[in-house]
Amino acid sequence: MRPSAPAKLRKSALDEPRPGSLTITYMPNADQAPTENPPRFSWLPDIDDGARYVLRISDDASFPESRTSLHTDLAWNFFTPDTPLPPGHHFWSYAIWDAKTGAPGSDWSSTRSFDLAEGLPETPVPSIAARRAASDLRHPRLWMNPDELHTFSASVKGDATHAGWDQFYEKSVAPWIDRPIIAEPKPYPNNIRVATLWRQMYIDCQETIYAIRHLAIAGKVLGRTDLLDKSRDWLLAIARWDPTGPTSRAYNDEAGFRVVVALSWGYDWLHDHLTEAERDEVRAVLVTRTREVANHVIAHARIQVFPYDSHAVRSLSAVLTPACIALDGESEEATAWLDYTLDFLATLYSPWAGTDGGWAEGPHYWMTGIAYFIEAANLLRKYLGVDLYRRPFFQNTGAFPLYTKAPGTRRACFGDDSTLGDLPGLKVGYNVRQFAGVTGNGHYQWYFERLKADAAGTEMAFYNYGWWDLNFDDLQYQHDFAPVEALPPTDLPAVKWFKDIGWAAIQKHMDDPMRHIQFLFKSSAYGSLSHSHGDQNAFLLYAYGEDLAIQSGHYVAFNSSMHRDWRRQTRSKNAILIDGKGQYADKDKALARRAAGQITEVEENPGHIRIVGDATEAYRVTNPKVQKAERETHFVDDSYFVIVDRVEAAEPVTLDWLCHTTNAPDAGRSSFRYHGERAGFYGQFVFSSAGAPSISAVHGFPEIDPADTEGLEQHHHIRASVPAAKSHVLVTLLVPYSLDAPKRIFSFIDDQGFATDIYFTDVDDQRFKLTLPKKF
């Protein structure tokens, strides 16, 4: 059943509006060839939210009956056929489905066409009828069915180490046996959200998942009534929390999501351990709480039209998938929500990505979004036999953290990140291991093992334990997937361009921390939308075991002064300000999407990688005078970088070149230097068409509420200010070095303060001349 739709002023025949920057688009189309077969179809819905659709596909634009496939009575404005199409040229259109007549309405949409290449991955989605036939309505059905449970139970009783059971029991079951049941969280004082209380509330709710799920699974596997009784006590207590109170989705969505998940696992795994009255009680509250989430997703957030709602999209995987599987066949609403969820994940997911495997919000929100997708995909794979991992994005996306959040890095990545300043979170590695299991890629397994070793002892950190139980992850993975042998990334290409999101990454010697260089560059069409920032044409540099040119600031809380006025803004980035202004990075989502960039070229030749980004539109949103803002980066001889900024404006504008560091840099006349704990880098302004820049070293976070960073380290940055001009060309040299083998830099400076010839000497005092690009 659909959630109730708001009343409409009129009920139209087919309404085909023009898509906007924040809506889904008409796909497939002639400008963007499908990357999988069958293609994913989407269109903007009719003004009547209750409309149903019919889709027709043909190799003839006149749609003759004998050569046209018709998909009728579609509930939503997105659809994936259940069979591949033949390669070639195809046409499609859609109409409103008239349920009374069982036929299309009189108006068809515009006809669109697409070319389907040969050899594309075949990723059909089973029809609703096929899903019903595949459903095993016995309990349990989340992760294991009764037959699997019987086999697994016998294996564990014969070998307690099977699939890591002993570790799971010791660390994730035993602690809950005597633990008192958590009390229902209280409202905020005066119902005004307090960040610390908000976080504690949802961690409390996360622990209800651990208690109910792990005790129930252990009780079933071991045949122990005491564990089942304890899990049932928790389940019934949580079911009696007020579904409209502090743990509702509307009051604290993170808490509400977790309560639904806890109830889902408990209802499913304890189904035959509950009395009929207890089952009715738990099922009723589970349906009520799930309905609240589904109504928000479908009727209010309307992610089938506006998919850029991070929490709503995540709730499909995190909440609706387990809840609706647990309720399938026992609630018509839940079965319909399950169909919606599966079709969205198979068709529109992810709005933050494309086939290349990137994630526009950055690797931290890749971690959270993909972690919950993995949970959902594994459940759907086991329950319905639908393998979403076959889609090209999921075959490729393990490379995104591998290239953009390499082992050892702490502040060398873009976007919101609650682990900022720490090593990559364990769950990033666990996600990548999942894709090792899916693809057999040994580099992914190496990444997992390296991150797990680096982050040993952080299992109870908020960003791990507060979101996931890694012992349960291990148990599931070892049961469901074959082991993959780790392969060090010595043969990786040096540069990876994620065209889908406008990121480019250089990785050299990732397997050797003391030689490792990571350089990230971003210029994204997603702009500063959601958890992205005003950082088009920005760069980040990690080298020789240390973050050098960093992501500045602290993620103290979403929408804090530090987050809103520093972290999201261009002034906290290794980027430029034009007339003192950065890129738009405030609350208007349409403007945030307009504040976009584009990587226009990535070129790799022996000893030379070149990356070009255009951030003109990102600056124009706040400064219409800007006519060009281009940054060209050269990585030369695997050792140094040359950055060329070109800016043009309708009238003279100043330029400020920014580079952020953890500790204090030294500023000179035309150069600067940063010494870290393991590594450092030298910077030289080689050329400026508007005159020599004035260089200063800035301490702290100007204009940010000091309370936001009390007790936290104060960062620094270099600010090089260039006089006003209508046209700017600024050329900057960056030379990273290890403190174990420092490079000494020698520059011959002209009378304007610019370097003419630059040399460095290595640890053996051999002198090398740096070759700069000839074209500025």
Side-chain angles (χ1 to χ4, degrees):
M1 295 177 61
R2 288 175 177 269
S4 56
K8 297 293 182 182
L9 295 177
R10 67 182 180 89
K11 187 172 182 178
S12 72
L14 186 67
D15 185 27
E16 194 177 5
R18 182 177 180 178
S21 63
L22 298 177
T23 68
I24 66 164
T25 56
Y26 295 92
M27 293 292 290
N29 58 59
D31 298 327
Q32 191 168 353
T35 57
E36 52 194 309
N37 187 2
R40 272 50 191 163
F41 292 86
S42 63
W43 55 92
L44 284 173
D46 184 65
I47 196 170
D48 177 4
D49 276 351
R52 299 181 79 88
Y53 303 92
V54 53
L55 171 72
R56 60 183 182 180
I57 309 168
S58 179
D59 60 1
D60 186 326
S62 64
F63 296 97
E65 184 176 350
S66 62
R67 295 166 63 180
T68 299
S69 60
L70 213 61
H71 303 275
T72 63
D73 199 20
L74 304 179
W76 304 105
N77 55 303
F78 53 90
F79 177 70
T80 300
D82 60 352
T83 56
L85 302 179
H89 195 61
H90 296 269
F91 302 87
W92 70 279
S93 64
Y94 65 95
I96 302 297
W97 177 254
D98 189 329
K100 293 182 179 178
T101 63
S106 58
D107 296 327
W108 285 92
S109 73
S110 301
T111 296
R112 294 175 171 84
S113 66
F114 60 92
D115 289 303
L116 197 61
E118 294 188 10
L120 294 178
E122 293 190 354
T123 55
V125 176
S127 67
I128 288 177
R131 298 174 207 176
R132 297 292 86 79
S135 301
D136 182 348
L137 297 180
R138 298 174 298 165
H139 292 279
R141 52 178 83 155
L142 293 175
W143 180 32
M144 292 185 184
N145 63 29
D147 298 333
E148 281 186 287
L149 173 59
H150 177 76
T151 301
F152 183 67
S153 178
S155 298
V156 167
K157 290 174 181 177
D159 176 8
T161 66
H162 177 72
W165 176 264
D166 55 339
Q167 293 296 306
F168 169 69
Y169 184 86
E170 177 188 346
K171 297 178 180 179
S172 299
V173 177
W176 299 103
I177 293 175
D178 297 317
R179 173 87 176 263
I181 296 172
I182 292 172
E184 182 174 5
K186 303 293 185 185
Y188 306 125
N190 300 316
N191 287 316
I192 298 174
R193 173 174 151 164
V194 179
T196 54
L197 297 178
W198 166 80
R199 181 171 294 179
Q200 185 59 53
M201 187 186 300
Y202 82 69
I203 289 179
D204 286 345
C205 294
Q206 180 73 17
E207 290 194 318
T208 69
I209 300 174
Y210 301 156
I212 294 171
R213 182 179 66 190
H214 301 163
L215 288 167
I217 289 174
K220 282 288 192 180
V221 170
L222 300 176
R224 283 180 53 179
T225 303
D226 61 323
L227 299 180
L228 296 173
D229 288 344
K230 185 70 174 179
S231 180
R232 181 189 58 199
D233 293 344
W234 274 82
L235 176 64
L236 294 176
I238 305 311
R240 289 160 187 164
W241 289 1
D242 182 0
T244 63
T247 62
S248 66
R249 190 222 64 85
Y251 199 90
N252 180 341
D253 64 348
E254 294 287 11
F257 292 167
R258 287 158 168 81
V259 171
V260 175
V261 174
L263 294 173
S264 301
W265 282 89
Y267 177 74
D268 183 45
W269 277 76
L270 296 172
H271 194 269
D272 62 0
H273 194 70
L274 301 172
T275 67
E276 185 174 353
E278 289 169 342
R279 283 197 295 269
D280 290 344
E281 178 184 3
V282 176
R283 181 172 56 245
V285 73
L286 178 56
V287 169
T288 296
R289 284 182 175 271
T290 306
R291 182 185 298 118
E292 185 195 21
V293 177
N295 279 353
H296 174 74
V297 167
I298 301 170
H300 300 291
R302 300 184 74 217
I303 61 172
Q304 66 274 12
V305 182
F306 305 100
Y308 302 107
D309 186 318
S310 188
H311 282 215
V313 171
R314 169 159 58 85
S315 70
L316 294 179
S317 300
V319 183
L320 293 186
T321 297
C324 295
I325 290 176
L327 293 167
D328 190 22
E330 301 173 31
S331 161
E332 290 185 10
E333 289 179 294
T335 299
W337 298 328
L338 180 60
D339 289 331
Y340 174 94
T341 296
L342 173 56
D343 286 332
F344 190 102
L345 294 176
T347 305
L348 299 181
Y349 192 87
S350 167
W352 306 109
T355 300
D356 292 340
W359 191 276
E361 296 178 299
H364 184 75
Y365 279 85
W366 177 93
M367 177 183 74
T368 56
I370 290 295
Y372 288 115
F373 170 82
I374 286 170
E375 291 182 7
N378 289 343
L379 294 177
L380 291 166
R381 178 173 171 265
K382 299 295 286 293
Y383 181 60
L384 293 176
V386 178
D387 188 357
L388 294 174
Y389 291 123
R390 293 171 59 190
R391 299 194 63 195
F393 169 76
F394 300 111
Q395 293 289 308
N396 297 332
T397 194
F400 182 59
L402 181 69
Y403 270 92
T404 66
K405 202 172 181 69
T409 60
R410 295 175 182 269
R411 292 186 166 275
C413 206
F414 299 111
D416 284 344
D417 188 345
S418 64
T419 66
L420 198 68
D422 291 340
L423 292 169
L426 278 167
K427 191 63 174 182
V428 181
Y430 275 74
N431 286 357
V432 174
R433 178 183 61 173
Q434 178 68 63
F435 294 112
V438 167
T439 65
N441 188 317
H443 293 146
Y444 296 169
Q445 181 68 23
W446 174 89
Y447 181 90
F448 162 71
E449 292 178 8
R450 174 72 181 276
L451 256 61
K452 188 174 183 181
D454 287 351
T458 67
E459 292 84 359
M460 298 304 293
F462 144 71
Y463 48 77
N464 289 321
Y465 177 79
W467 291 74
W468 303 282
D469 184 287
L470 301 175
N471 304 303
F472 180 65
D473 288 356
D474 275 331
L475 181 69
Q476 277 192 298
Y477 182 82
Q478 290 182 51
H479 179 269
D480 293 346
F481 291 90
V484 175
E485 184 176 354
L487 180 65
T490 54
D491 58 344
L492 282 180
V495 62
K496 177 72 173 176
W497 182 6
F498 296 95
K499 293 184 182 181
D500 50 0
I501 60 166
W503 291 39
I506 295 172
Q507 291 288 354
K508 296 293 294 185
H509 309 299
M510 191 192 304
D511 60 309
D512 184 350
M514 293 301 98
R515 299 171 64 210
H516 182 197
I517 295 177
Q518 172 181 291
F519 180 88
L520 299 187
F521 184 88
K522 176 184 174 184
S523 203
S524 175
Y526 287 83
S528 57
L529 191 63
S530 187
H531 293 286
S532 296
H533 297 169
D535 52 11
Q536 318 321 317
N537 278 10
F539 70 88
L540 293 158
L541 174 62
Y542 167 96
Y544 309 114
E546 187 166 353
D547 296 281
L548 299 177
I550 67 166
Q551 179 77 285
S552 171
H554 304 278
Y555 194 38
V556 294
F558 187 84
N559 209 32
S560 61
S561 171
M562 164 56 67
H563 178 258
R564 182 182 62 249
D565 301 325
W566 184 262
R567 289 272 296 113
R568 288 184 58 82
Q569 302 302 324
T570 312
R571 63 181 179 145
S572 71
K573 314 302 174 189
N574 304 309
I576 62 171
L577 305 179
I578 301 176
D579 253 5
K581 298 177 181 178
Q583 304 160 20
Y584 183 86
D586 293 324
K587 293 182 179 180
D588 188 311
K589 290 185 177 182
L591 291 179
R593 185 66 190 266
R594 276 182 51 201
Q598 179 185 12
I599 294 179
T600 57
E601 295 180 70
V602 175
E603 180 183 358
E604 181 178 8
N605 293 299
H608 185 198
I609 294 173
R610 176 174 171 266
I611 303 170
V612 182
D614 183 348
T616 305
E617 289 305 312
Y619 286 97
R620 281 181 58 82
V621 174
T622 56
N623 189 346
K625 294 183 293 185
V626 176
Q627 297 174 329
K628 182 179 186 178
E630 181 183 272
R631 171 167 277 182
E632 181 175 342
T633 298
H634 302 261
F635 181 46
V636 185
D637 292 339
D638 293 348
S639 59
Y640 61 92
F641 298 85
V642 179
I643 298 172
V644 183
D645 287 296
R646 298 182 179 89
V647 173
E648 296 178 6
E651 55 188 76
V653 293
T654 60
L655 213 63
D656 291 296
W657 189 96
L658 307 177
C659 184
H660 294 262
T661 58
T662 303
N663 297 311
D666 297 320
R669 181 184 175 193
S670 64
S671 65
F672 58 93
R673 185 186 293 271
Y674 174 73
H675 264 343
E677 296 179 2
R678 300 180 182 177
F681 67 99
Y682 166 87
Q684 172 78 55
F685 294 100
V686 178
F687 175 78
S688 173
S689 62
S694 173
I695 306 174
S696 59
V698 183
H699 170 258
F701 312 106
E703 303 168 7
I704 300 303
D705 184 352
D708 278 5
T709 58
E710 185 177 356
L712 300 174
E713 62 185 7
Q714 299 294 300
H715 297 152
H716 304 255
H717 66 272
I718 286 291
R719 187 183 190 104
S721 300
V722 180
K726 292 179 67 174
S727 178
H728 289 271
V729 178
L730 179 64
V731 182
T732 311
L733 168 72
L734 295 179
V735 184
Y737 53 81
S738 167
L739 295 189
D740 292 332
K743 293 181 174 71
R744 292 188 294 155
I745 310 297
F746 297 89
S747 303
F748 294 92
I749 309 296
D750 65 18
D751 56 8
Q752 292 184 320
F754 295 121
T756 55
D757 293 303
I758 302 173
Y759 299 83
F760 69 83
T761 61
D762 64 13
V763 69
D764 297 321
D765 209 33
Q766 295 292 311
R767 179 175 289 198
F768 300 90
K769 183 177 181 180
L770 275 64
T771 304
L772 302 179
K774 294 180 179 179
K775 285 189 177 181
F776 293 157

